[in-house]
Amino acid sequence: MGDLHSAEEHGKTQISAVIFDLDGTLLSTEHLTKEILKEFLAGYGKVPDKEKEKKRLGMTQKEYAIGIVSDYDLPLTPDQYIQAIMPFYHDKWLQAKALPGANRLIRHFHKHGVPFALASNSKRKNIDGKVSRQEGWIECFSVILGSDQVKSGKPSPDIIGVKAGKAAGMKVVAVPSFHSEFDQYSIADSVLRSLLELKPELWGLPPFEDWVDNALLVEPVHFRGLYKNGLLLDFADDGPSILPDQVFGVYFGWAKPEAYKFIKIVLGVGWGHGCCSSKRKIQACIVDSSDEQIQHCKMEAVIVGYIRGSHDEGKSDKIEILEEDKSIANAALNLSEFSLGAFKSLFSEVALQDDCDLNIK
């Protein structure tokens, strides 16, 4: 779960302070660690029970360990379980990156003097370890609070969660860590797919001023996929996806198909539904080349800009690319801040070499 909480004075609409959750709201830690329990339990011939794991959301580390040992009848004490599994989490935390819109929002609030705090169910030493790897974060938070610094963890109001935030009379904006959790936070005042969808002015806070003609520069994301029939097939077919679930909406950037030059591309990142589960669906629209020329090939891409979420406040899982989106992306990619030269170094040496060969020809 991820959430953002706004404390407001009674009788006024002006927000006085903001409280952030950490894992799954600001950092991709939950995305990186979601398979750890499965791998750990496999060593004992067990498999995770999805319903039981849902009930553990928001628990303190000690409560979580007690539940795991009991529910899966592990030959360990809760403390032994923690000691055995924590090194796996620490290794993954080192890879954690800021989620879409997190750096932007932190810098925006800090610039405008909006006080904001961090409250997490992680222990304080683990919070410090995660936050210290993100440039400028630790200096920006007015307060940082971990579960070992309060009497009770979530959903107690000692550490703020969605339920506790509402019970305390706060305005709550939820940003689910995973796509499958989107419908679970109806009690929140607003549920967003990512922090890129947040409009601070709706909460009496200073608006963003960083849009360039309906396009937003984002921290670049590099990935590989298979382009086929207007879709960029999910790389998760061959392993875990590098894209967290909060990457949702219409994005644009640069791509390098095999045996072709660099091209401009617009991506509609949403979800498709099968009979039993949801799967990421990425529509890919080539802006400056004919789809007939590039039909079926491996492709590297770097996302550099964002245009919008869905048109129905994020409730729809599908994203359709409109002609307006193509026009916005094409115009933005002609600007210096979105130019290929600014991001070409993120592509692999193979892609760069292919491009040089094509240029020579």
Side-chain angles (χ1 to χ4, degrees):
M1 181 195 75
D3 42 70
L4 173 155
H5 309 276
S6 308
E8 63 175 345
E9 298 177 11
H10 294 293
K12 297 182 179 180
T13 57
Q14 184 65 39
I15 300 297
S16 58
V18 176
I19 304 173
F20 285 103
D21 187 13
L22 178 62
D23 300 297
T25 301
L26 299 179
L27 281 182
S28 63
T29 44
E30 293 195 355
H31 169 73
L32 290 170
T33 60
K34 65 180 180 181
E35 296 295 321
I36 288 179
L37 178 62
K38 178 181 178 181
E39 295 168 4
F40 184 86
L41 291 178
Y44 294 89
K46 313 279 185 177
V47 295
D49 183 310
K50 290 183 179 180
E51 293 305 313
K52 289 180 179 178
E53 296 315 309
K54 283 182 182 178
K55 295 177 182 177
R56 266 186 270 278
L57 287 173
M59 285 186 176
T60 63
Q61 184 185 74
K62 187 68 172 182
E63 293 168 338
Y64 185 90
I66 292 171
I68 291 289
V69 169
S70 174
D71 288 342
Y72 298 107
D73 193 26
L74 299 181
L76 302 168
T77 66
D79 286 340
Q80 288 173 332
Y81 167 78
I82 292 171
Q83 186 176 9
I85 202 169
M86 284 309 294
F88 296 95
Y89 282 95
H90 284 292
D91 288 343
K92 292 294 185 181
W93 288 342
L94 294 176
Q95 305 171 35
K97 296 182 179 179
L99 285 167
N103 273 319
R104 176 195 186 214
L105 189 56
I106 287 173
R107 291 166 185 159
H108 179 71
F109 283 166
H110 185 65
K111 173 184 175 182
H112 290 278
V114 177
F116 56 97
L118 181 63
S120 171
N121 245 12
S122 295
K123 289 187 175 182
R124 177 58 191 266
K125 67 177 183 179
N126 292 334
I127 296 172
D128 290 342
K130 298 170 190 176
V131 173
S132 65
R133 300 184 64 83
Q134 308 302 314
E135 186 177 352
W137 280 25
I138 204 161
E139 297 86 2
C140 290
F141 290 103
S142 301
V143 177
I144 297 178
L145 197 64
S147 61
D148 54 336
Q149 295 175 285
V150 296
K151 182 178 180 181
S152 303
K154 299 175 184 178
S156 165
D158 296 35
I159 286 283
I160 291 295
V162 172
K163 292 181 180 178
K166 291 300 296 180
M170 296 182 178
K171 296 296 184 182
V172 180
V173 178
V175 186
S177 304
F178 300 107
H179 159 72
S180 59
E181 299 173 358
F182 190 80
D183 295 329
Q184 298 178 22
Y185 300 110
S186 57
I187 66 168
D189 295 278
S190 178
V191 186
L192 306 178
R193 297 286 185 173
S194 82
L195 290 175
L196 289 174
E197 296 183 356
L198 182 68
K199 296 180 179 179
E201 63 271 21
L202 298 181
W203 309 97
L205 295 167
F208 287 115
E209 299 172 341
D210 50 357
W211 289 87
V212 180
D213 295 332
N214 297 312
L216 177 67
L217 185 68
V218 298
E219 293 170 68
V221 179
H222 171 263
F223 64 94
R224 296 179 176 89
L226 179 67
Y227 178 78
K228 184 178 181 181
N229 299 327
L231 296 176
L232 199 53
L233 300 186
D234 197 337
F235 25 80
D237 289 343
D238 301 317
S241 168
I242 66 165
L243 292 184
D245 288 13
Q246 292 91 337
V247 176
F248 177 90
V250 179
Y251 293 81
F252 61 89
W254 296 95
K256 177 62 180 67
E258 283 187 329
Y260 292 92
K261 295 182 180 181
F262 285 97
I263 57 173
K264 298 175 180 177
I265 193 167
V266 181
L267 302 173
V269 186
W271 296 88
H273 294 280
C275 59
C276 302
S277 63
S278 296
K279 189 175 181 181
R280 192 187 295 279
K281 182 178 180 181
I282 304 178
Q283 293 189 62
C285 179
I286 299 169
V287 175
D288 57 353
S289 181
S290 171
D291 286 341
E292 295 178 0
Q293 292 178 290
I294 305 174
Q295 295 182 345
H296 187 177
C297 63
K298 293 180 180 178
M299 181 181 288
E300 281 190 51
V302 172
I303 293 174
V304 304
Y306 171 81
I307 297 175
R308 61 176 175 85
S310 62
H311 279 314
D312 60 352
E313 298 182 354
K315 294 179 182 178
S316 173
D317 293 332
K318 297 181 180 179
I319 294 291
E320 300 294 334
I321 298 173
L322 307 177
E323 289 300 321
E324 180 184 4
D325 299 323
K326 299 177 191 178
S327 298
I328 292 171
N330 189 43
L333 290 169
N334 288 328
L335 302 175
S336 59
E337 54 262 60
F338 297 96
S339 69
L340 175 60
F343 302 99
K344 202 169 185 178
S345 62
L346 299 177
F347 286 88
S348 70
E349 292 183 7
V350 173
L352 295 171
Q353 183 60 46
D354 286 347
D355 188 59
C356 289
D357 292 343
L358 286 168
N359 289 332
I360 291 172
K361 294 175 183 177

